[in-house]
Amino acid sequence: MSHPELSRRQFLHYAAWSALASTIPGPSWAENRQINKDPDKNFKPDVELELYARTAEVPILSGAETHVFRYSGKLLRGPVNSIKNLPGYLGPILNFERGQKVRIFFYNQIPEPVITHWHGLHVPQKMDGHPMYEIFKGERYVYEFEINNPAATYWYHAHTHDMTATQVYQGLSGLITVRDEMEHKLELPADEYEIPLIIQDRRFTAGNQLHYLHGMHQRMMGFLGDTILVNGQANSTISVKTRAYRLRLLNGSNSRIYKLGWDDGTPLTIIGTDGGLLEKPESMPYLMLAPAERIELWMDFSGRKLGSELTLQSLEYQGGGLPMRGMGGMGRGRMSGMHGELAQGDAFPVVKFNITEQISDSPRLPEKLVSMPRLGTKDVTNPEKTIPIAIGMRRMLFQLNGRTFKMNDYLDIEKIPVNTIQKMRIFHDGGMGGGRHGMSGGGRGMGMMGMMRALPHPIHLHGQQFQILSRKTNKDSDIYDTVKEGFIHNGWKDTVLVMPGEEVEIIKPFQDYTGLFLYHCHNLEHEDMGMMRNFYVS
């Protein structure tokens, strides 16, 4: 089997195909596009910037540079800290304040269509990055929206139909921070004491080119790399002082799920989730971080010896799928990579911290962070109705609510009245003899369909953040014991990991904006296979 690298040759191939496609007559989705090409004269931005999707060659590993897709930005108006560039292939960090009006001129300079999604932000449908608004090389899309989210860590990434996995893998992603008055009052660690940690796994050829496997195995299970990158760098080591830091973590991988913990057993102190700060800090032995999820940690290096090291690692766990090593055994195990390298659920180091300077001044962890309303059944617009999100698979295609993705398609159950609060149930659709949750014990005697339903799925809902009401799992699911202490039940979320044999109830507002808003699996290979649907909000 050949394993193509993502190289200059492939870029040229895409460019040639793009040019050819533009000359082919006949009906196409492109002919019906209604892209937002021009700015609104009545919109008065506080921050205005240009963002480009480009091809580039960047140093990632020692030796030859790597061909990538990359976001680059230029500030036109607003505070000078609105854009912070990072070395490597990742897009610039975009720093916003709640209440700011933002205009982004997005230019496509890569040889394939692309659109950008502002993951976690509450914006109008036309500004959300739905794939119906993809633009071709040489075109631009004008985004205009007000930052109407609380202080938190968000991100942006390509969201092109059938191409999200490859475009994000090649580099089209970046971090967003939002700050507000409540956060400023807390005086949390800032500047050099606030560290972004964008965690991704990649695979490289001998010539340092990105190596993306897209056979049936990787499409079904999700792509797993054998090299862990943090902020676009391999073997990442960060120098710190003996004081408290704020760590902003993003799982930017296509499908890898991390079970994060400190190598010396120090508990994790969580201060924020996808959509904002918690009411108060929470301590956990480890944390499950699925693709697209963000978490904010308070880490105090005070009292540690000068010259000592501390490693944030991904701990071993089960429940990442059934084993591919020795397919005949079908016992309990973990999903391996194609060559048994760095399987889903294996243990490995993520990033190392070196204590390089000793100081005595350090802020104290606040006992209370922010006030946050807790939604309950009493807040639901129609308490008797629960909207289903059924995870299923038929004919080797992943589905949600029995359907794969079509650009304008939605079911009656996917119609949502605007300015309502809805209760939703995310669960595994048994189907095909898989049982109520699509899982039977540890997996003995299961066929391919059963194996697919034994996968975890990070489910992301566009639009406003939601809150988790409950998590339920099979009582006889012993693999769940290896991950069950790693879930945050409080705070605002936009992505939730649903493990095999598990169902999750959430409460989600649908306020302000109408139109088609996506929900999908953020295992990007699954998304590109059609595991995505629309809610029609009206």
Side-chain angles (χ1 to χ4, degrees):
M1 177 183 295
S2 62
H3 301 307
E5 63 184 50
L6 299 172
S7 62
R8 183 185 301 276
R9 178 180 298 176
Q10 188 178 34
F11 291 149
L12 294 175
H13 168 76
Y14 284 141
W17 170 249
S18 179
L20 175 62
S22 66
T23 67
I24 298 175
S28 69
W29 174 254
E31 294 175 359
N32 299 318
R33 292 182 307 143
Q34 297 180 356
I35 64 176
N36 199 50
K37 296 181 179 180
D38 301 308
D40 181 353
K41 295 179 181 179
N42 297 317
F43 185 85
K44 306 299 181 184
D46 303 298
V47 179
E48 190 172 57
L49 57 91
E50 294 176 342
L51 191 70
Y52 297 85
R54 291 169 165 159
T55 61
E57 296 183 23
V58 300
I60 299 178
L61 306 178
S62 60
E65 293 187 336
T66 304
H67 307 301
V68 298
F69 289 162
R70 184 187 184 190
Y71 286 116
S72 61
K74 177 183 178 182
L75 183 64
L76 303 177
R77 177 189 303 175
V80 293
N81 66 343
S82 298
I83 292 184
K84 180 181 179 181
N85 291 308
L86 294 175
Y89 62 86
L90 289 168
I93 298 177
L94 306 181
N95 299 307
F96 300 133
E97 291 277 344
R98 188 170 192 174
Q100 283 180 332
K101 292 184 176 180
V102 176
R103 174 183 287 150
I104 300 173
F105 294 100
F106 173 56
Y107 295 89
N108 181 12
Q109 295 183 349
I110 65 172
E112 55 189 70
V114 69
I115 196 67
T116 298
H117 169 50
W118 315 100
H119 187 119
L121 295 186
H122 180 44
V123 298
Q125 189 269 349
K126 202 170 184 179
M127 304 299 163
D128 189 48
H130 195 289
M132 68 172 64
Y133 301 122
E134 67 182 19
I135 59 173
F136 298 135
K137 184 177 181 180
E139 294 183 325
R140 82 173 182 185
Y141 197 98
V142 181
Y143 294 96
E144 294 170 328
F145 50 82
E146 183 174 344
I147 302 298
N148 192 23
N149 286 70
T153 304
Y154 306 95
W155 66 307
Y156 61 101
H157 59 81
H159 211 301
T160 318
H161 183 39
D162 285 338
M163 306 172 82
T164 299
T166 56
Q167 290 183 349
V168 172
Y169 183 78
Q170 290 174 88
L172 290 183
S173 63
L175 207 66
I176 299 173
T177 71
V178 172
R179 305 178 194 276
D180 61 19
E181 291 184 6
M182 286 194 294
E183 184 202 54
H184 287 308
K185 291 177 181 179
L186 292 171
E187 297 184 344
L188 297 173
D191 301 322
E192 66 173 300
Y193 306 116
E194 178 184 301
I195 302 176
L197 298 173
I198 303 169
I199 308 171
Q200 298 170 309
D201 60 337
R202 297 291 186 264
R203 191 179 292 247
F204 294 88
T205 67
N208 284 356
Q209 300 311 308
L210 287 168
H211 193 180
Y212 184 76
L213 308 175
H214 49 78
M216 184 56 69
H217 173 81
Q218 290 76 28
R219 287 170 61 82
M220 291 295 181
M221 307 302 171
F223 175 84
L224 296 174
D226 56 12
T227 303
I228 302 299
L229 304 179
V230 174
N231 298 339
Q233 304 295 311
N235 302 314
S236 184
T237 299
I238 298 174
S239 297
V240 294
K241 302 175 183 179
T242 54
R243 58 151 289 158
Y245 283 75
R246 179 183 188 176
L247 308 180
R248 295 180 181 263
L249 279 70
L250 159 67
N251 182 349
S253 298
N254 278 31
S255 71
R256 186 176 294 280
I257 301 166
Y258 300 90
K259 179 182 176 180
L260 297 173
W262 296 109
D263 65 337
D264 68 350
T266 298
L268 296 172
T269 301
I270 294 91
I271 61 173
T273 54
D274 296 342
L277 295 170
L278 296 172
E279 289 186 293
K280 60 182 181 180
E282 294 190 20
S283 180
M284 301 174 65
Y286 59 83
L287 178 76
M288 302 302 297
L289 196 69
E293 286 188 304
R294 287 89 63 210
I295 204 74
E296 296 189 22
L297 301 180
W298 175 286
M299 183 56 199
D300 195 343
F301 297 97
S302 300
R304 295 184 178 270
K305 294 182 179 179
L306 197 64
S308 63
E309 297 177 346
L310 187 67
T311 300
L312 185 66
Q313 57 186 359
S314 189
L315 307 171
E316 186 175 11
Y317 69 91
Q318 298 182 53
L322 297 180
M324 291 299 288
R325 296 188 183 100
M327 285 286 289
M330 298 301 293
R332 292 178 173 85
R334 299 180 305 279
M335 187 65 65
S336 77
M338 178 62 73
H339 305 291
E341 302 171 352
L342 215 54
Q344 188 82 283
D346 274 355
F348 51 84
V350 174
V351 57
K352 183 183 297 183
F353 293 88
N354 283 344
I355 315 300
T356 57
E357 185 175 344
Q358 195 160 6
I359 59 177
S360 57
D361 183 34
S362 180
R364 298 188 63 176
L365 176 65
E367 294 183 3
K368 180 177 175 58
L369 295 169
V370 297
S371 298
M372 181 176 57
R374 180 66 183 173
L375 300 179
T377 305
K378 68 181 186 310
D379 301 300
V380 175
T381 303
N382 186 355
E384 304 303 317
K385 178 183 178 182
T386 299
I387 296 173
I389 298 179
I391 300 168
M393 182 181 187
R394 289 174 178 82
R395 298 184 180 91
M396 302 300 287
L397 291 174
F398 288 107
Q399 299 178 330
L400 292 172
N401 286 331
R403 298 276 189 98
T404 55
F405 178 68
K406 293 182 181 178
M407 197 69 73
N408 286 303
D409 186 40
Y410 54 89
L411 299 166
D412 283 342
I413 59 173
E414 294 167 329
K415 295 180 181 178
I416 309 290
V418 70
N419 294 323
T420 61
I421 297 176
Q422 302 290 334
K423 183 170 71 169
M424 300 181 167
R425 174 174 167 257
I426 311 172
F427 61 99
H428 295 264
D429 182 4
M432 300 297 292
R436 179 168 174 257
H437 294 283
M439 183 162 182
S440 175
R444 290 184 176 88
M446 297 180 73
M448 180 61 73
M449 294 296 186
M451 290 179 58
M452 299 306 105
R453 287 189 298 271
L455 291 171
H457 295 281
I459 302 299
H460 170 51
L461 287 77
H462 287 220
Q464 283 173 279
Q465 305 279 325
F466 56 80
Q467 293 182 3
I468 295 174
L469 266 182
S470 65
R471 306 184 79 113
K472 301 175 184 176
T473 188
N474 292 349
K475 294 181 179 179
D476 60 349
S477 179
D478 56 345
I479 61 174
Y480 195 77
D481 291 341
T482 66
V483 301
K484 66 181 182 182
E485 295 182 67
F487 297 113
I488 291 281
H489 299 99
N490 298 316
W492 291 102
K493 298 279 293 172
D494 57 56
T495 306
V496 60
L497 179 60
V498 184
M499 295 297 293
E502 186 179 35
E503 64 177 59
V504 179
E505 280 195 335
I506 65 172
I507 290 186
K508 176 177 167 59
F510 288 83
Q511 295 171 324
D512 304 324
Y513 305 126
T514 59
L516 296 175
F517 286 89
L518 298 167
Y519 67 101
H520 58 87
C521 181
H522 224 287
N523 178 319
L524 296 184
E525 282 72 38
H526 293 178
E527 177 186 327
D528 282 353
M529 288 180 68
M531 196 174 183
M532 179 163 66
R533 296 288 303 161
N534 290 304
F535 284 123
Y536 178 56
V537 184
S538 64

